[in-house]
Amino acid sequence: MIPTALLPFFHWVRLTRPWNVLAMGGMVWIVMRWLGSDSAALWHLGQSGWIVVPMLVGAAGNLINDYFDVREDRINKPNRALVGRLVKRRVVVVTHWGFTIAALCWSGWLASNADTSWPIVMVALFSVVLYVYSPMLKGNGALGNVTISICVGGLVIWAAMGSDSLDSAEAWTFALLLAVLNFIREWVKDVQDTVGDRAANHNTMAMRLTPNQNRIGVLFGLALAGIMVMLWSVMVATELPATLTWAAMFVATMLKAFNANYKSLSAWLKVLIGTLFLLIVEF
């Protein structure tokens, strides 16, 4: 039982999507280990920024996204529409900017240590994109989905930068695979949220297509992504158990897509994206 005095803080934590934020840090850590970074060095305050900074940017993005999406969330996800009801709007705005400024400052430290301005440039770009996503990009057909998916794939590039491996073709192709799978999941989420998005005057790609076109498009995209992942796994010689596990998850996800069970499909796509990282874990 959470004390009444702590309830606003608890609901604020929910707005940051803590499990998603932790997953982002885990994704970056796995990629950095795959690319040869020393795990012990990542505990140093300067180096740990490569893990923590994307988490700060992600949490800030989640907060401001919910701030702008109050109207559609009250329709699509009434139990998660907390801004203005259980969490004060000014608290959301202030903590968003607090996380963003902290991420920018920490990325400046990383840039100084790495002798390159790219860390702070990437953080600034991602922060701007996440800020304008809901009010400007989300209702613009596929543009919002593409932009968010590039940011997700950018986590791999960020990890490659922290590992001094920006010249790794394997890392860039892995980033592409991650972006493609995330694009399909964003598409599926838009299909789920059609009612609320229409009320908010959004014009997402899912709304521009018929139900059958959405179903066929998701199936085709998922099949293409599956072929790309399997070809990549052969090229980089991934561990067979990991490849078979991902393939099993992929078949289960395809069945959900075939049946157009979008609520379940969204969850399975999340699992599929997570399982993708098994392909780069050394057992």
Side-chain angles (χ1 to χ4, degrees):
M1 185 73 176
I2 300 173
T4 304
L6 293 178
L7 279 176
F9 175 73
F10 170 75
H11 292 308
W12 173 83
V13 170
R14 285 180 61 194
L15 289 176
T16 67
R17 311 282 200 281
W19 297 118
N20 288 355
V21 168
L22 287 171
M24 290 172 63
M27 288 159 60
V28 173
W29 182 81
I30 291 171
V31 174
M32 291 186 73
R33 288 290 299 121
W34 172 51
L35 294 174
S37 289
D38 182 8
S39 291
L42 292 175
W43 287 100
H44 182 270
L45 186 59
Q47 287 298 102
S48 65
W50 293 107
I51 308 295
V52 180
V53 167
M55 296 170 66
L56 290 172
V57 175
N62 289 335
L63 286 167
I64 205 64
N65 179 68
D66 278 359
Y67 176 84
F68 285 123
D69 280 355
V70 170
R71 185 176 179 183
E72 50 266 55
D73 282 349
R74 285 177 179 170
I75 297 172
N76 293 326
K77 305 161 188 171
N79 293 331
R80 287 172 54 183
L82 307 177
V83 179
R85 186 166 59 90
L86 298 174
V87 182
K88 293 180 179 179
R89 293 171 67 84
R90 67 173 177 271
V91 171
V92 174
V93 173
V94 169
T95 51
H96 158 78
W97 285 113
F99 283 153
T100 301
I101 291 169
L104 286 168
C105 292
W106 207 336
S107 66
W109 187 7
L110 295 175
S112 177
N113 290 340
D115 197 27
T116 174
S117 61
W118 277 111
I120 196 168
V121 169
M122 284 189 71
V123 168
L125 284 173
F126 287 171
S127 297
V128 169
V129 166
L130 293 175
Y131 186 87
V132 303
Y133 169 69
S134 287
M136 297 178 61
L137 302 176
K138 185 175 180 179
N140 244 327
L143 180 61
N145 296 350
V146 170
T147 306
I148 287 296
S149 297
I150 290 173
C151 289
V152 172
L155 289 172
V156 177
I157 306 307
W158 172 267
M161 188 188 308
S163 306
D164 197 24
S165 301
L166 278 177
D167 58 347
S168 169
E170 291 86 355
W172 282 91
T173 50
F174 188 77
L176 175 62
L177 296 175
L178 182 59
V180 169
L181 284 170
N182 188 78
F183 175 83
I184 297 170
R185 183 165 185 266
E186 292 294 326
W187 188 354
V188 169
K189 286 163 60 181
D190 282 347
V191 174
Q192 288 180 267
D193 294 345
T194 300
V195 176
D197 287 344
R198 184 174 290 110
N201 296 318
H202 289 320
N203 189 20
T204 63
M205 182 174 69
M207 293 171 63
R208 295 182 180 187
L209 301 174
T210 66
N212 195 47
Q213 286 173 332
N214 278 315
R215 177 174 173 272
I216 293 173
V218 168
L219 274 170
F220 177 80
L222 195 53
L224 180 61
I227 293 170
M228 291 169 63
V229 169
M230 296 310 294
L231 288 175
W232 181 85
S233 66
V234 171
M235 288 171 58
V236 300
T238 57
E239 298 284 344
L240 183 59
T243 304
L244 292 176
T245 300
W246 193 89
M249 294 297 103
F250 174 75
V251 171
T253 306
M254 282 291 289
L255 289 174
K256 296 295 181 182
F258 184 80
N259 293 324
N261 187 347
Y262 292 113
K263 184 176 181 180
S264 180
L265 176 58
S266 179
W268 274 96
L269 279 166
K270 200 170 187 177
V271 172
L272 190 66
I273 291 172
T275 312
L276 185 69
F277 285 82
L278 288 178
L279 300 179
I280 59 175
V281 173
E282 294 183 3
F283 293 94

